[in-house]
Amino acid sequence: QVRLVESGGGLVQPGGSLNLSCVASEIILDYHAIGWLRQAPGKEREGVSFISGSDGRTSYANSVKNRFTVSRNKGENTVYLQMNGLKPEDTAIYFCAAQPGTWLPTSARQYDYWGLGTQVTVSS
C-alpha cells in the first residue's frame, strides 16, 4: 500500500527557511512523479514544486521560483522541499503526492496518492 509521510513543517518568521521531507513507501521514485502542493484556508489546493520519476526534471509554480527547491534521495525514498525566503502568503498545509508514470503532473487532480500534510505557518 502506497504511503507518503510529510514532516518538517512549523512556525517560521518571514524571510526564514524550512526543509520539508516526504518519505515514500511501496513506490519507486524512478517510476513516480512526486509533487508538493499546498492548501491555505479557504483556497483551493495548488501545485508548488514537482519532480519527475524518470529523469528528475523539476517544475515550479511562479510564486515560489528561485525560493523553493525540490530534490530527492532515491536511496532513502525521500523527496525534499527546501523553502527559503518564506513569506506570510506561503502559509498553508503542504502535501506530498505521487503519480506513477514518466510524465510530470502539475495539478492536484492529476495525482492519485497523497500524504496527510504538514502545516507551514509564516508569521512574525
Side-chain angles (χ1 to χ4, degrees), residues 3-7 19-30 34 36 71-81 96:
R3 187 171 181 228
L4 302 169
V5 180
E6 305 94 336
S7 63
N19 190 24
L20 305 185
S21 299
C22 172
V23 179
S25 302
E26 301 301 325
I27 69 170
I28 300 174
L29 292 183
D30 281 334
I34 302 294
W36 284 99
S71 62
R72 64 183 181 178
N73 182 324
K74 291 191 283 184
E76 296 182 353
N77 235 35
T78 301
V79 178
Y80 301 97
L81 183 67
C96 170

CSV table of all heavy atoms in Angstrom, one decimal, residues 3-7 19-30 34 36 71-81 96:
chain,number,residue,atom,x,y,z
A,3,ARG,N,2.2,4.7,0.7
A,3,ARG,CA,2.1,5.6,1.9
A,3,ARG,C,3.1,6.7,1.7
A,3,ARG,O,4.3,6.5,1.4
A,3,ARG,CB,2.4,4.9,3.2
A,3,ARG,CG,2.2,5.7,4.5
A,3,ARG,CD,2.3,4.8,5.7
A,3,ARG,NE,2.0,5.5,6.9
A,3,ARG,CZ,2.8,5.5,8.0
A,3,ARG,NH1,3.9,4.7,8.0
A,3,ARG,NH2,2.5,6.2,9.1
A,4,LEU,N,2.7,8.0,2.0
A,4,LEU,CA,3.5,9.2,1.9
A,4,LEU,C,3.4,9.9,3.2
A,4,LEU,O,2.3,10.2,3.7
A,4,LEU,CB,3.1,10.1,0.8
A,4,LEU,CG,3.0,9.5,-0.6
A,4,LEU,CD1,2.3,10.4,-1.6
A,4,LEU,CD2,4.4,9.2,-1.1
A,5,VAL,N,4.5,10.2,3.8
A,5,VAL,CA,4.5,10.8,5.1
A,5,VAL,C,5.4,12.1,5.1
A,5,VAL,O,6.6,12.0,4.9
A,5,VAL,CB,5.1,9.9,6.2
A,5,VAL,CG1,5.0,10.6,7.6
A,5,VAL,CG2,4.2,8.6,6.3
A,6,GLU,N,4.7,13.3,5.3
A,6,GLU,CA,5.4,14.5,5.3
A,6,GLU,C,5.9,14.9,6.7
A,6,GLU,O,5.2,14.5,7.7
A,6,GLU,CB,4.5,15.7,4.8
A,6,GLU,CG,3.9,15.4,3.4
A,6,GLU,CD,2.5,14.8,3.5
A,6,GLU,OE1,2.2,14.1,4.5
A,6,GLU,OE2,1.7,15.0,2.5
A,7,SER,N,7.0,15.7,6.8
A,7,SER,CA,7.4,16.2,8.0
A,7,SER,C,8.2,17.5,7.7
A,7,SER,O,8.6,17.8,6.6
A,7,SER,CB,8.3,15.2,8.8
A,7,SER,OG,9.4,14.9,8.1
A,19,ASN,N,12.8,23.0,5.7
A,19,ASN,CA,13.1,21.9,4.7
A,19,ASN,C,12.0,20.8,5.0
A,19,ASN,O,12.1,20.2,6.0
A,19,ASN,CB,14.5,21.4,4.9
A,19,ASN,CG,14.9,20.5,3.8
A,19,ASN,OD1,14.3,20.5,2.7
A,19,ASN,ND2,15.8,19.6,4.1
A,20,LEU,N,11.1,20.6,4.1
A,20,LEU,CA,10.1,19.6,4.2
A,20,LEU,C,10.6,18.3,3.7
A,20,LEU,O,11.4,18.3,2.7
A,20,LEU,CB,8.8,20.0,3.5
A,20,LEU,CG,8.2,21.3,3.9
A,20,LEU,CD1,6.9,21.5,3.1
A,20,LEU,CD2,8.0,21.4,5.4
A,21,SER,N,10.2,17.2,4.3
A,21,SER,CA,10.6,15.8,3.8
A,21,SER,C,9.3,15.0,3.5
A,21,SER,O,8.3,15.2,4.2
A,21,SER,CB,11.4,15.1,4.9
A,21,SER,OG,12.6,15.8,5.1
A,22,CYS,N,9.4,14.2,2.5
A,22,CYS,CA,8.3,13.3,2.2
A,22,CYS,C,8.9,11.9,2.0
A,22,CYS,O,9.7,11.6,1.1
A,22,CYS,CB,7.6,13.7,0.9
A,22,CYS,SG,6.4,12.5,0.2
A,23,VAL,N,8.6,11.0,3.0
A,23,VAL,CA,9.1,9.6,2.9
A,23,VAL,C,8.1,8.8,2.2
A,23,VAL,O,6.9,8.7,2.7
A,23,VAL,CB,9.5,9.1,4.3
A,23,VAL,CG1,9.9,7.6,4.2
A,23,VAL,CG2,10.5,9.9,5.0
A,24,ALA,N,8.5,8.1,1.2
A,24,ALA,CA,7.5,7.3,0.4
A,24,ALA,C,7.7,5.8,0.6
A,24,ALA,O,8.9,5.3,0.7
A,24,ALA,CB,7.7,7.6,-1.1
A,25,SER,N,6.6,5.1,0.8
A,25,SER,CA,6.7,3.6,1.0
A,25,SER,C,5.9,3.0,-0.1
A,25,SER,O,4.8,3.5,-0.6
A,25,SER,CB,6.0,3.2,2.3
A,25,SER,OG,6.7,3.8,3.4
A,26,GLU,N,6.4,1.8,-0.6
A,26,GLU,CA,5.7,1.0,-1.6
A,26,GLU,C,5.6,1.7,-3.0
A,26,GLU,O,4.8,1.3,-3.8
A,26,GLU,CB,4.3,0.6,-1.1
A,26,GLU,CG,4.3,-0.2,0.2
A,26,GLU,CD,5.1,-1.5,0.1
A,26,GLU,OE1,5.1,-2.1,-1.0
A,26,GLU,OE2,5.7,-1.8,1.1
A,27,ILE,N,6.5,2.6,-3.2
A,27,ILE,CA,6.7,3.2,-4.6
A,27,ILE,C,8.2,3.3,-4.9
A,27,ILE,O,9.0,3.3,-4.0
A,27,ILE,CB,6.0,4.5,-4.8
A,27,ILE,CG1,6.7,5.6,-4.0
A,27,ILE,CG2,4.5,4.5,-4.4
A,27,ILE,CD1,6.2,7.0,-4.4
A,28,ILE,N,8.5,3.3,-6.1
A,28,ILE,CA,9.9,3.5,-6.6
A,28,ILE,C,9.9,4.9,-7.2
A,28,ILE,O,9.2,5.2,-8.2
A,28,ILE,CB,10.3,2.4,-7.6
A,28,ILE,CG1,10.1,1.0,-6.9
A,28,ILE,CG2,11.7,2.6,-8.1
A,28,ILE,CD1,10.4,-0.1,-7.8
A,29,LEU,N,10.8,5.7,-6.7
A,29,LEU,CA,10.9,7.1,-7.2
A,29,LEU,C,11.2,7.2,-8.6
A,29,LEU,O,10.8,8.2,-9.3
A,29,LEU,CB,11.9,7.9,-6.3
A,29,LEU,CG,11.5,8.2,-4.9
A,29,LEU,CD1,12.5,9.1,-4.2
A,29,LEU,CD2,10.1,8.8,-4.8
A,30,ASP,N,11.9,6.2,-9.2
A,30,ASP,CA,12.3,6.2,-10.6
A,30,ASP,C,11.0,6.2,-11.5
A,30,ASP,O,11.1,6.6,-12.6
A,30,ASP,CB,13.2,5.1,-11.0
A,30,ASP,CG,14.6,5.3,-10.6
A,30,ASP,OD1,15.0,6.5,-10.5
A,30,ASP,OD2,15.4,4.3,-10.3
A,34,ILE,N,6.7,13.0,-8.1
A,34,ILE,CA,6.3,13.5,-6.8
A,34,ILE,C,6.0,15.0,-6.9
A,34,ILE,O,6.8,15.7,-7.4
A,34,ILE,CB,7.4,13.2,-5.8
A,34,ILE,CG1,7.8,11.7,-5.7
A,34,ILE,CG2,7.0,13.8,-4.4
A,34,ILE,CD1,6.7,10.9,-5.2
A,36,TRP,N,4.8,18.5,-4.7
A,36,TRP,CA,4.4,19.2,-3.4
A,36,TRP,C,3.3,20.2,-3.8
A,36,TRP,O,3.5,21.0,-4.7
A,36,TRP,CB,5.7,20.0,-2.9
A,36,TRP,CG,6.7,19.1,-2.2
A,36,TRP,CD1,7.8,18.7,-2.7
A,36,TRP,CD2,6.6,18.6,-0.9
A,36,TRP,NE1,8.5,17.9,-1.8
A,36,TRP,CE2,7.8,17.9,-0.7
A,36,TRP,CE3,5.7,18.7,0.2
A,36,TRP,CZ2,8.1,17.2,0.5
A,36,TRP,CZ3,6.0,18.1,1.4
A,36,TRP,CH2,7.2,17.4,1.5
A,71,SER,N,14.1,18.2,-4.4
A,71,SER,CA,15.1,17.3,-4.6
A,71,SER,C,14.7,15.9,-4.1
A,71,SER,O,13.7,15.8,-3.4
A,71,SER,CB,16.5,17.7,-4.0
A,71,SER,OG,16.3,17.8,-2.6
A,72,ARG,N,15.5,14.9,-4.4
A,72,ARG,CA,15.1,13.6,-4.0
A,72,ARG,C,16.4,12.8,-3.6
A,72,ARG,O,17.5,13.0,-4.2
A,72,ARG,CB,14.3,12.8,-5.0
A,72,ARG,CG,15.0,12.6,-6.3
A,72,ARG,CD,14.1,11.9,-7.3
A,72,ARG,NE,14.8,11.6,-8.6
A,72,ARG,CZ,14.3,11.0,-9.6
A,72,ARG,NH1,13.0,10.6,-9.6
A,72,ARG,NH2,15.0,10.8,-10.7
A,73,ASN,N,16.2,11.8,-2.7
A,73,ASN,CA,17.3,10.9,-2.4
A,73,ASN,C,16.6,9.5,-2.6
A,73,ASN,O,15.8,9.0,-1.9
A,73,ASN,CB,17.7,11.0,-0.9
A,73,ASN,CG,18.8,10.0,-0.5
A,73,ASN,OD1,18.8,8.9,-1.0
A,73,ASN,ND2,19.6,10.5,0.3
A,74,LYS,N,17.0,8.9,-3.8
A,74,LYS,CA,16.3,7.6,-4.2
A,74,LYS,C,16.7,6.5,-3.2
A,74,LYS,O,15.9,5.6,-3.0
A,74,LYS,CB,16.7,7.3,-5.6
A,74,LYS,CG,16.1,8.3,-6.6
A,74,LYS,CD,16.2,7.7,-8.0
A,74,LYS,CE,17.6,8.0,-8.6
A,74,LYS,NZ,17.7,7.6,-10.0
A,75,GLY,N,17.9,6.5,-2.7
A,75,GLY,CA,18.3,5.5,-1.7
A,75,GLY,C,17.4,5.5,-0.5
A,75,GLY,O,17.2,4.4,0.1
A,76,GLU,N,17.0,6.7,-0.1
A,76,GLU,CA,16.1,6.8,1.1
A,76,GLU,C,14.7,6.9,0.8
A,76,GLU,O,13.8,7.1,1.7
A,76,GLU,CB,16.6,8.0,2.0
A,76,GLU,CG,18.0,7.8,2.5
A,76,GLU,CD,18.4,9.0,3.4
A,76,GLU,OE1,17.6,10.0,3.5
A,76,GLU,OE2,19.5,9.0,4.0
A,77,ASN,N,14.4,6.9,-0.5
A,77,ASN,CA,13.0,7.0,-1.0
A,77,ASN,C,12.3,8.3,-0.4
A,77,ASN,O,11.2,8.2,0.0
A,77,ASN,CB,12.2,5.8,-0.7
A,77,ASN,CG,11.5,5.2,-1.9
A,77,ASN,OD1,12.1,5.2,-3.0
A,77,ASN,ND2,10.3,4.7,-1.7
A,78,THR,N,13.1,9.3,-0.4
A,78,THR,CA,12.6,10.6,0.2
A,78,THR,C,12.7,11.7,-0.8
A,78,THR,O,13.7,11.8,-1.5
A,78,THR,CB,13.4,10.9,1.5
A,78,THR,OG1,13.3,9.8,2.4
A,78,THR,CG2,12.9,12.1,2.2
A,79,VAL,N,11.7,12.6,-0.8
A,79,VAL,CA,11.7,13.8,-1.6
A,79,VAL,C,11.7,15.0,-0.6
A,79,VAL,O,11.0,15.0,0.4
A,79,VAL,CB,10.6,13.9,-2.5
A,79,VAL,CG1,10.5,15.2,-3.3
A,79,VAL,CG2,10.6,12.7,-3.5
A,80,TYR,N,12.5,16.0,-0.9
A,80,TYR,CA,12.6,17.2,-0.1
A,80,TYR,C,12.1,18.4,-0.8
A,80,TYR,O,12.1,18.5,-2.0
A,80,TYR,CB,14.1,17.4,0.3
A,80,TYR,CG,14.7,16.2,1.0
A,80,TYR,CD1,15.5,15.3,0.3
A,80,TYR,CD2,14.5,16.0,2.4
A,80,TYR,CE1,16.0,14.2,0.9
A,80,TYR,CE2,15.1,15.0,3.0
A,80,TYR,CZ,15.9,14.0,2.3
A,80,TYR,OH,16.4,13.0,2.9
A,81,LEU,N,11.7,19.4,0.1
A,81,LEU,CA,11.3,20.7,-0.4
A,81,LEU,C,12.0,21.7,0.4
A,81,LEU,O,11.6,22.0,1.6
A,81,LEU,CB,9.8,20.9,-0.4
A,81,LEU,CG,9.4,22.3,-1.0
A,81,LEU,CD1,9.7,22.4,-2.5
A,81,LEU,CD2,7.9,22.5,-0.8
A,96,CYS,N,2.5,16.1,0.1
A,96,CYS,CA,3.3,15.4,-0.8
A,96,CYS,C,2.3,14.5,-1.6
A,96,CYS,O,1.4,13.9,-1.0
A,96,CYS,CB,4.3,14.6,0.0
A,96,CYS,SG,5.2,13.4,-1.0
